[in-house]
Amino acid sequence: DKKSFLWYNEVSIQFCLLYGEVAEVFDAYRKPKEGLKEELADIVIYLLGLSEMLGINLEEEFNKKIIKNKIDHIRKLVELRLE
């Protein structure tokens, strides 16, 4: 239906805008020029907006991912010691 199509289109646009912001951050980093911090903040704004649109608690997912990464790191260290 039209409402779901518009919502999908809006999410797609937000992903495209996020992609553009990532490119701007890289450009600001590569050249070095003013605005790197501001461009990084823009990325956070788009991520938070997308997570809200998609019904994702980004803080909760972030915390889960940090824990998962720590566990994976510990496993790798243990595997290296066992070799």
Side-chain angles (χ1 to χ4, degrees), residues 43-61:
I43 289 173
V44 173
I45 291 167
Y46 279 105
L47 282 174
L48 291 172
L50 273 168
S51 66
E52 185 172 320
M53 291 173 79
L54 297 170
I56 297 169
N57 181 333
L58 198 55
E59 181 181 10
E60 184 178 301
E61 296 304 318

Side-chain angles (χ1 to χ4, degrees), residues 14-28:
Q14 293 300 311
F15 273 111
C16 290
L17 293 171
L18 174 61
Y19 180 80
E21 290 299 330
V22 171
E24 288 179 21
V25 167
F26 179 69
D27 189 49

Side-chain angles (χ1 to χ4, degrees), residues 3-15 53:
K3 186 177 179 182
S4 63
F5 174 77
L6 291 174
W7 178 86
Y8 174 80
N9 196 33
E10 180 66 23
V11 171
S12 298
I13 290 168
Q14 293 300 311
F15 273 111
M53 291 173 79

